[in-house]
């Protein structure tokens, strides 16, 4: 996960994919595809807006306190995993349609404000045609398989993608 994006070998998702998701938003270099009840597919030239609202954002201190509480509860065998927070992805199209879909957040506790802002900037570049979802896909393919990235590392990756021509 980097920002609002969940990247795997086949796809770039907004939010977390998987069995618990009733809908998914998939980004490819050619199209934006929504699965589930509001299913549809649009070439990037037809997409006029792409926004995500409701992404959980918390300060570093609050995120760390939440993690500490989870670890403590797990150690005491009191922890019950909760559902991820839901985010709304809104797609606007050239023909005036607007599609909204709920997707689960990929953040274990929350995103940083900067991570969300950088993700929105990248989504804007996808819509404008000045960048492509191929960028995160290439990044994923070049990764050496190391563990999860910390928030500052994720922000640095997003900055790198935004700086790419």
């Amino acid at each position: 996960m980097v920002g609002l994006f969940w990247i795997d070998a086949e796809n770039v998702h907004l939010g977390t994919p998987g069995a618990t998701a009733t809908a998914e938003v998939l980004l490819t270099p050619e199209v934006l595809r929504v699965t589930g009840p509001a299913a549809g597919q649009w070439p990037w030239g037809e997409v006029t807006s792409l926004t995500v609202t409701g992404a959980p954002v918390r300060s570093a201190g609050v995120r760390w306190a939440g993690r500490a509480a989870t670890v403590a509860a797990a150690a005491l065998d009191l922890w019950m995993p909760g559902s991820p927070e839901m985010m709304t992805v809104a797609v606007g199209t050239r023909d005036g349609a607007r599609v909204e879909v709920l997707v689960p957040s990929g953040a274990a506790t929350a995103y940083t404000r900067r991570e969300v802002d950088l993700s929105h900037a990248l989504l804007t570049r996808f819509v404008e045609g000045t960048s492509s979802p191929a960028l995160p896909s290439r990044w994923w393919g070049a990764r050496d398989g190391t563990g999860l990235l910390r928030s500052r590392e994720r922000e640095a990756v997003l900055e790198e993608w935004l700086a790419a021509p």
Side-chain angles (χ1 to χ4, degrees):
M1 182 209 53
V2 176
L4 301 176
F5 306 97
W6 187 280
I7 308 154
D8 61 33
E10 288 98 36
N11 295 297
V12 175
H13 304 261
L14 277 175
T16 304
T20 61
T22 58
E24 292 184 277
V25 178
L26 305 161
L27 312 175
T28 73
E30 297 81 26
V31 298
L32 181 149
R33 185 171 62 237
V34 173
T35 66
Q41 180 171 299
W42 302 270
W44 284 105
E46 294 297 314
V47 177
T48 57
S49 65
L50 178 58
T51 58
V52 180
T53 56
V57 175
R58 293 185 185 88
S59 70
V62 173
R63 285 194 328 273
W64 280 106
R67 286 184 189 135
T70 299
V71 169
L76 296 172
D77 203 22
L78 301 173
W79 180 68
M80 298 289 289
S83 299
E85 293 190 42
M86 299 302 283
M87 308 183 302
T88 301
V89 178
V91 179
T93 63
R94 194 163 307 287
D95 63 5
R98 180 172 166 88
V99 175
E100 290 189 356
V101 61
L102 287 174
V103 298
S105 162
T109 55
Y111 302 102
T112 67
R113 167 54 45 204
R114 180 138 177 80
E115 208 172 351
V116 171
D117 291 345
L118 291 167
S119 295
H120 277 117
L122 191 59
L123 289 172
T124 297
R125 292 198 57 203
F126 292 165
V127 170
E128 292 170 345
T130 57
S131 189
S132 167
L135 202 57
S137 294
R138 282 193 305 267
W139 173 85
W140 176 259
R143 280 197 78 211
D144 61 2
T146 55
L148 297 174
L149 301 176
R150 296 176 187 245
S151 58
R152 296 226 191 271
E153 295 169 318
R154 293 189 305 267
E155 290 170 7
V157 170
L158 287 163
E159 289 169 348
E160 179 184 315
W161 293 345
L162 284 166

